[in-house]
């Protein structure tokens, strides 16, 4: 280490998370991985590291991206750094030892390549006991339908981060309805520009504000569906 390099391990928790926000902003993946490891070693739970160090850092990036201070290449580096930290947290979030309670197919809709939120949702669902088949980004209706047929999940999850791509969720739901498939699946939708009203308007079963809500909602709706099935 050179003299002017910062030793992250010497920083107290609050300064370390602050530094991680700055490192995320600067797209420094190695530092984000190191910071994540340090916080975990200090006994922070994976959920806390995720929320306070990574998601909060990305929120700050989002504000400056919106305001034209950061541009796509910088944001891509930040996203890459965030993924480095998430890769460490993924097995920890998933290792809750809960029984598998259902299967989810999840993907980001056509025209949209944002995947950090979707990946987080996938991790939280795994942690809540779901088998998750992540079919990726820029997913068209045919690919969603093929994945449903191939994997036979209980739940379809769709993500959209752009106001221009969120209407595509309705295209997928309408096509499921047209093919008589809609009632076979619970459809959950999420992404920053969506809201409850939009979820209702497009015919989803629920809009999920964040990854934790997605995991809770998936559990609640799958239990309700199974209770209904055993009652009839
Ligand atoms: Co984009 N981008 N971006 N971008 N980008 C936004 C979304 C934007 C809000 C930035 C801004 O202006 N402030 C803006 C959208 C404006 C709008 O439509 N209202 C925007 C834009 C305009 C664009 C481009 C058009 C920019 C350009 O090219 N000029 C372009 C579009 C590319 C495309 O998709 N076709 C673009 C590109 C990019 C990058 C490639 C550089 C990069 C993506 C990298 C990647 O994902 N691999 C990027 C990023 C990183 C962002 C911001 C900064 C961060 C998104 C993120 O990862 N957030 C974002 C600003 C922002 O959102 N504040 C922005 C962190 C993540 C944890 O949160 O994704 O909201 P989020 O997910 C949450 C919830 O929404 C929910 O749970 C998640 C976890 O709690 N959730 C679900 C999400 N999906 C769910 C699915 C579910 C349930 C819950 O299913 C059941």
């Amino acid at each position: 280490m050179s003299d002017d390099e910062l030793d992250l391990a010497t920083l107290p928790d609050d300064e370390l998370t602050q530094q991680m926000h700055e490192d995320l902003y600067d797209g420094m993946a190695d530092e984000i991985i190191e910071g994540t490891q340090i916080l975990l070693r200090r006994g922070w739970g994976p959920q806390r590291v995720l929320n306070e160090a990574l998601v909060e850092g990305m929120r700050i990036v989002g504000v400056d991206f919106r305001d034209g201070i950061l541009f796509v290449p910088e944001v891509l580096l930040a996203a890459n750094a965030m993924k480095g930290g998430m890769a460490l947290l993924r097995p920890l979030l998933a290792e809750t030892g809960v029984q598998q309670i259902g299967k989810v197919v999840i993907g980001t809709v056509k025209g949209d390549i944002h995947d950090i939120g979707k990946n987080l949702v996938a991790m939280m669902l795994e942690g809540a006991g779901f088998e998750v088949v992540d079919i990726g980004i820029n997913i068209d209706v045919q690919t969603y339908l093929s994945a449903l047929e191939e994997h036979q999940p209980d739940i379809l999850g769709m993500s959209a981060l752009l106001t221009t791509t969120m209407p595509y969720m309705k295209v997928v739901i309408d096509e499921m309805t047209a093919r008589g498939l809609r009632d076979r699946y619970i459809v959950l939708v999420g992404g920053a520009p969506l809201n409850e009203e939009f979820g209702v308007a497009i015919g989803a079963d629920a809009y999920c504000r964040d990854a934790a809500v997605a995991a809770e909602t998936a559990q609640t709706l799958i239990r309700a569906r199974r209770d209904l099935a055993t009652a009839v």
Side-chain angles (χ1 to χ4, degrees), residues 55 58-59 61-63 65-66 72 75-76 79 82-83 106 111-118 120-121 157-164 188-193 208-212 214:
V55 174
M58 193 47 100
R59 188 191 64 76
V61 169
V63 171
F65 187 31
R66 181 196 63 209
V72 170
V75 179
L76 266 178
M82 172 135 183
K83 284 182 179 180
I106 190 166
D112 201 321
I113 62 168
H114 295 86
D115 68 353
I116 295 176
K118 165 187 68 62
L120 264 179
V121 172
M158 289 189 280
S159 178
L161 264 286
L162 300 171
T163 43
T164 48
L188 302 181
V189 294
C208 308
R209 190 183 63 240
D210 59 33

Side-chain angles (χ1 to χ4, degrees), residues 144-220:
Y144 277 116
L145 294 178
S146 303
L148 292 178
E149 196 180 328
E150 181 185 348
H151 301 289
Q152 298 291 322
D154 306 281
I155 298 177
L156 170 64
M158 289 189 280
S159 178
L161 264 286
L162 300 171
T163 43
T164 48
T165 57
M166 56 191 243
Y168 196 76
M169 293 173 161
K170 183 167 179 333
V171 174
V172 178
I173 294 175
D174 286 351
E175 189 59 27
M176 289 168 75
T177 306
R179 297 193 189 199
L181 299 171
R182 174 65 187 88
D183 293 342
R184 284 197 210 164
Y185 307 99
I186 295 166
V187 178
L188 302 181
V189 294
L194 280 63
N195 58 30
E196 202 92 43
E197 207 182 353
F198 176 79
V200 172
I202 63 169
D205 290 289
Y207 153 72
C208 308
R209 190 183 63 240
D210 59 33
V213 169
E216 273 169 36
T217 309
Q219 285 173 317
T220 307

Side-chain angles (χ1 to χ4, degrees), residues 2-44:
S2 67
D3 285 350
D4 55 352
E5 233 176 285
L6 192 59
D7 182 359
L8 294 178
T10 62
L11 299 176
D13 287 3
D14 56 341
E15 286 177 31
L16 176 56
T17 47
Q18 182 66 39
Q19 184 60 43
M20 285 175 73
H21 298 162
E22 288 172 26
D23 288 344
L24 194 76
Y25 193 95
D26 294 332
M28 296 166 76
D30 290 346
E31 285 73 6
I32 289 299
I33 290 169
E34 190 188 342
T36 301
Q37 285 165 333
I38 294 169
L39 289 173
L40 289 171
R41 274 202 303 274
R42 288 182 188 173
W44 280 41

